[in-house]
Amino acid sequence: MSESTVIKHVTDAVIRFAGDSGDGMQLTGGRFTENTAILGHDLVTLPDYPAEIRAPAGSLAGVSAFQIHFSSNDIHTPGDEPDVLVAMNPAALKVHLKELHPGGIIIVNRNAFTKRNLHLAGYESNPLDDDALNRDYTLYAIDMSSIAAEACKDMGLTSKVVERTKNMFALGVLFWMYDRPYDTTIKWLEKKFHKRPELVEANRRVLVAGFNYGDTYEIFTTRYKVAKAPLAPGNYRNMNGNLAVALGLVAAAQKAGLPLFYGGYPITPASEILQTLAGYKRFGVKTFQAEDEIAGVSSAIGAAFAGNLAVTATSGPGVALKSEALGLALMVELPLVLVNVQRGGPSTGLPTKTEQSDLFQAMYGRNGEAPIPIVAPTTPGDCFYAAYEAARIALKYMTPVIVLSDGYLANGSEPWSIPDVNALSEIEVKFATEKNSEEHFLPYLRNEETLSRPWAIPGTPGLEHRIGGLEKENVTGSVSYDPDNHHKMTELRAEKVHRIANELAPLEVFGAQSGDLLILGWGSTYGACRAAAERMQGKTQSVGHLHLRWLNPFPNDLGEILTRYKQVLIPEINYGQLSRMIRAEYLVDTRGLNMVRGRPIRARDVVNKISELLG
């Protein structure tokens, strides 16, 4: 390291890696994230995938990115804007430059700025020669591909193989810049490519070359140090939302003493749940990849009838196809967990981007009066507890339950404290084993507290009964077309959902308990809302933050809390769906912050809206 290099201590940093989908940006970001977690920082990540399976190399549509925000403090978001942008080609620079922090650092692979790539990205001239770019940012243009080729020149590898190692060079530079070792990444390379030692060596050489480049070339004048975060004692692991959902479901099945059955169809961004659960056969998990969405949910309903914890997962388009079957699960009152990992819509929409636009679909997207409980996780790690709670409620109340995750939670990650399984809520399941009347088994004779019906496994002697999509006679379960009975059954199904609110914990407001403004949110806007509320503490205005996990039913104390504030702001990645529900239920004149961009709302956006409302 040059004697002129300055060590700068910072509380946090935001780095974005961007390049072609074949440049390994997700892998690079993942390695930097693992390293960051081992060093004890708090972190939040935001992977950003292109929708095309293989867009033309160098095109704007093919840009893949990975952003990480890490800090010595407790943080909630992947960062409003990057401090450092690593751009592996002109398209990556073109797509992401506008979001870089003013005065931020740009590190580019100069070898990729060819005439062809500049044309594909829409540049008429080379931006690296632009005085404005050099004036407004700190630009480091490095011949990454050439240096990688030089590092591997005696190995006899093809140029294509060597070119794929250039992401390790960028990673090495960042490891040097943020003062962190690279030994864990080398160990990872040895494990990943254990059958290809030449790839281990090539990537190792290029990684070390990147680190040494930062150490020996005097173009870098500053290194950054971020202290450890004061995380509570315990065992931690890096956790993303889809993995957390899968683990939460397995934990619930184990607690309930039930086999877990997953029936579904692959769809972005929910497919990872199926892939993860398929690896847990030793815990009694059965996974079935059906031929379509309807078959997936129908198989899960059949599994629920047979006494399994039944699960299906999809995204918005899949929920549309499953809607009639969800009505069937509600009508026959069987426990079923549906995980909707929301993505941009409508129709195929933005398959790899995030959105919160399926709340109305979850609430109202079935024919007839068909209320289903809805729970929404707030962070990637919270997906574990949301999935676990959804399973517990489904089994206790004999009802389908919807978990509203989204692409940001599914793919994003954070340090997750591994819970004590003994501390998780108990899940007690009692199957009917004998008749509940003198003559017949009555399938709709309800529990007085929960209104749940008995769960009778088919084949149990003496418990023969009929279920199906036609309306049932109260208590007996016989098909009924009686208008008064239909009204009664509609009331019972709605009341069963309402009673879930009686066991929800009291809501906790962060910040001002009353006053000028309440930030009310749900789902993945948690981080931006909490960060904005923290920034507003100590100001002249009194601002509180309340985040809802249960969206149906609403908690019993929500209405009283809303009356304490002069204004209620609801940030959503949709066009105001929760806002309309709150207005309808509580007659509160809510204000919306609605940004439907396929990206998470930023804390800065929430702060700006608060300033606009409060003056």
Side-chain angles (χ1 to χ4, degrees), residues 251-252 254-256 384-385 388 392 416-427:
Q254 292 292 299
K255 274 283 189 176
F384 173 91
Y385 297 100
Y388 185 92
R392 186 185 73 82
W416 184 66
S417 178
I418 300 174
D420 178 3
V421 294
N422 295 319
L424 296 174
S425 302
E426 293 298 326
I427 302 179

Side-chain angles (χ1 to χ4, degrees), residues 352-376:
T352 61
K353 309 303 179 183
T354 197
E355 208 161 283
Q356 290 182 301
S357 54
D358 296 347
L359 177 54
F360 277 176
Q361 182 185 46
M363 280 291 296
Y364 311 118
R366 293 163 295 281
N367 62 297
E369 293 289 339
I372 292 181
I374 303 170
V375 60

Side-chain angles (χ1 to χ4, degrees), residues 77 80 530-539 603-605 607:
T77 75
D80 287 349
R530 178 53 57 89
E534 289 179 346
R535 295 179 193 180
M536 295 303 299
Q537 300 309 301
K539 307 288 186 182
R604 182 181 63 195
D605 300 324
V607 170

Side-chain angles (χ1 to χ4, degrees), residues 240-290:
N240 69 53
N242 276 346
L243 174 58
V245 164
L247 292 176
L249 293 169
V250 173
Q254 292 292 299
K255 274 283 189 176
L258 297 176
L260 189 154
F261 177 88
Y262 178 100
Y265 183 75
I267 183 172
T268 301
S271 300
E272 189 181 8
I273 298 173
L274 167 59
Q275 295 162 5
T276 301
L277 287 174
Y280 289 113
K281 295 181 177 65
R282 63 189 183 278
F283 293 109
V285 177
K286 298 181 179 67
T287 53
F288 169 56
Q289 181 176 321

Side-chain angles (χ1 to χ4, degrees), residues 43-109:
L43 65 91
V44 181
T45 69
L46 175 62
D48 187 10
Y49 305 94
E52 286 75 11
I53 295 175
R54 176 61 81 182
S59 67
L60 298 177
V63 174
S64 176
F66 186 103
Q67 182 163 306
I68 175 173
H69 180 198
F70 58 102
S71 175
S72 57
N73 300 320
D74 185 26
I75 57 174
H76 311 291
T77 75
D80 287 349
E81 52 202 4
D83 303 305
V84 179
L85 172 63
V86 179
M88 302 302 286
N89 63 12
L93 182 66
K94 184 73 170 286
V95 170
H96 293 286
L97 179 61
K98 59 182 177 293
E99 296 186 15
L100 182 62
H101 189 282
I105 295 172
I106 304 171
I107 301 174
V108 301
N109 177 18

